[in-house]
Amino acid sequence: MNEWQNTFNEFKKKYVVQTRERLGKVEDLIGQLNEPTREDVIKSIRHHFHWLAGSGGIYGFPELTALGKEAENFCDTTNAAAVVEVRDRLQAFVGTAKEVFSAGAEGVQSLPTVAREVSEQVSVLLVDSDSKRAAKLKELFEELSIAVTINSDFSHASATLQDNAVDGLIVTVPLVDGSGYDLVEKFRSLPSTVDSPALILNAMPGFLDKVQAIHSGADGFFEEPIVLQDVAERMRFLLETPDPPDYRILYVEDDPYQAEFVRAVLSSAGYAVEICDSAKNFDAALTNHQPDLVLLDIMLPDVSGYELARYLRQNEAYATLPILFLTTESKVDAKIRAAKAGGDDYLTKPVAPSLLLSTVAAKLERARFLKSLLHRDGLTKLLTHTAFMNMAQAALSRRARQPVKRLGLLMIDIDRFKQINDTHGHPVGDSVIISLANLLRRRVRRADLVGRYGGEEFVVIVEDLSESEVESLAKRLLFDFSSIEHKASEKKFRSTFSAGISMFDASKMQLADWVNAADDALLQAKQAGRNRIIIASSH
């Protein structure tokens, strides 16, 4: 709060100086009103009053905001025949503004805090028979504001999961009275924790079965020597929700004082803010900053904010980009024009920091939700073909920076799916697709990519597994899927899939080559009789 207040006080000092200068410029312009360029002079005067209307209330001068808006409206309705009357009226506005400003220019207006609200504390169940290690981990988690419940064995942990809501699970293997893998699987099967993070700690060197850990639904595993700080940080990362620092905002505003104030407010909440002071730089700012939200002032010197909004909406790439207008205009017709231009909301200057932050946060969250709908398949809720390929390319880019990282691609196709549809109907076919999608979601890590490639085809990218380990995981998935009973009216039936595996080879592969290799291996599995996994040849 002190840092923010100090920043605000510095802005206010600059504002006091700038306001005095502007009022002096307005007086000089009023003196030019008998010249032929009167319309241009009125436009310049209106611009200064527009600035006053948008800034006064922010710095503790609400009377200046009201006066600025009144003077703006007067400039819009004046006529060329009443030069003396116009001049006298504008001079009266300036005189009143000086009086109001002088009366309170030395005070400092305190602003409400703009920090984000702290979310409810999350909790983790830690299952570990080593009391010293458990105590150290608990200390680390408490430093991260994460509550910890400690159980030492399988039976107590099972009861805890059944009776209490937890947000994450950490379990050591082996356990004295059961399987840590089974405990993770139970955790994954509960409706309240189906998408919650789970980690496995290998307490005995050489004991960990990576494939079984992934198959059980674990998001990660740690082997001896276990660095407890890394475990805590990994769980913290998995528990985090999308945070405002990940969001980028572009603010188009020609007034540097307004722009810097808004930047300070939004930056204090963790947003990355880029200022664009001219429409001429708008395209470059969009390309370089890649904003998640655009703030537009309507009154710009070269074009209006409405025109920039319409320009944005003509580009499909920005169809879901939130646009928020921030201006002094508050008339109903202005709000209608903003909506017609494609704006998502409209805030009137001066806007309270808390209102600005809450509106921005709401629009960003809404956009994130819409984007997730576009990137997820409607039936399975897995990544769409396009989203998967984009994220797969990103995975290859990460691998280029970490060449030792292994990547395996699994291409899956449900066997005789057309026959299922023809025999039992498309709704039953859809239920088979959903069952496989749910199985994949439960049996691979959240960090692994899973997508619906098309129709009854699925794709999975797994990291840090050898070729034999990827094959072992695929076989377990095939066994699990073939064990599921599907219902069709009074009948029950089972299904299988075929799969192709391709390990990424940076020396000879691009993304398309990698996918094609897995697809070719899948075709071989189909031709060899289905219900099997084929590994793509490395030659």
Side-chain angles (χ1 to χ4, degrees), residues 185-206:
E185 191 166 333
K186 179 175 182 176
F187 178 73
R188 276 278 178 263
S189 67
L190 297 173
S192 60
T193 54
V194 64
D195 292 318
S196 299
L199 299 176
I200 288 178
L201 309 184
N202 182 22
M204 294 177 58

Side-chain angles (χ1 to χ4, degrees), residues 382 388 409-415 433 436-437 439-441 444 449-462 470 473-478 481 496-501 515 518-519 521-523 525-526 532-534:
L382 299 178
F388 178 87
L409 190 149
L410 181 63
M411 183 82 73
I412 297 172
D413 186 86
I414 298 174
D415 292 330
I433 287 176
L436 178 53
L439 175 68
L440 294 176
R441 189 182 293 110
V444 301
L449 298 180
V450 185
R452 186 182 182 189
Y453 198 68
E456 65 275 18
E457 272 192 299
F458 297 81
V459 275
V460 182
I461 291 178
V462 291
V470 176
L473 176 62
K475 287 180 177 178
R476 292 190 184 209
L477 291 171
L478 177 54
F481 182 65
T496 60
F497 65 69
S498 301
I501 294 173
V515 173
D519 200 24
L522 168 62
L523 180 60
K526 290 281 191 183
R532 67 194 64 220
I533 291 100
I534 297 291

Side-chain angles (χ1 to χ4, degrees), residues 168-329:
L169 172 68
I170 299 176
V171 57
T172 57
V173 293
L175 296 175
V176 294
D177 62 338
S179 166
Y181 306 119
D182 290 346
L183 189 62
V184 173
E185 191 166 333
K186 179 175 182 176
F187 178 73
R188 276 278 178 263
S189 67
L190 297 173
S192 60
T193 54
V194 64
D195 292 318
S196 299
L199 299 176
I200 288 178
L201 309 184
N202 182 22
M204 294 177 58
F207 185 85
L208 180 71
D209 184 331
K210 292 182 181 179
V211 174
Q212 190 172 355
I214 295 174
H215 181 262
S216 69
D219 294 291
F221 36 78
F222 292 82
E223 298 184 85
E224 289 287 355
I226 299 172
V227 181
L228 299 184
Q229 184 68 48
D230 291 347
V231 176
E233 287 295 332
R234 178 62 176 165
M235 179 56 74
R236 179 195 61 80
F237 174 78
L238 292 171
L239 288 169
E240 279 184 344
T241 54
D243 210 19
D246 296 332
Y247 291 123
R248 299 176 298 276
I249 296 173
L250 177 63
Y251 182 27
V252 185
E253 172 64 75
D254 62 312
D255 176 27
Y257 287 90
Q258 290 278 340
E260 288 305 320
F261 178 81
V262 169
R263 188 211 293 269
V265 171
L266 295 175
S267 297
S268 72
Y271 299 111
V273 183
E274 179 75 11
I275 304 298
C276 176
D277 60 3
S278 171
K280 293 182 291 186
N281 304 323
F282 188 56
D283 272 328
L286 281 173
T287 302
N288 296 333
H289 195 56
Q290 292 293 304
D292 299 294
L293 180 144
V294 172
L295 270 174
L296 291 174
D297 183 28
I298 291 177
M299 301 299 297
L300 297 169
D302 30 19
V303 299
S304 73
Y306 300 130
E307 291 172 301
L308 287 182
R310 284 192 289 269
Y311 171 76
L312 270 177
R313 290 301 187 230
Q314 290 172 6
N315 189 330
E316 288 186 3
Y318 303 117
T320 60
L321 181 67
I323 299 174
L324 184 60
F325 289 107
L326 192 60
T327 183
T328 59
E329 295 188 358

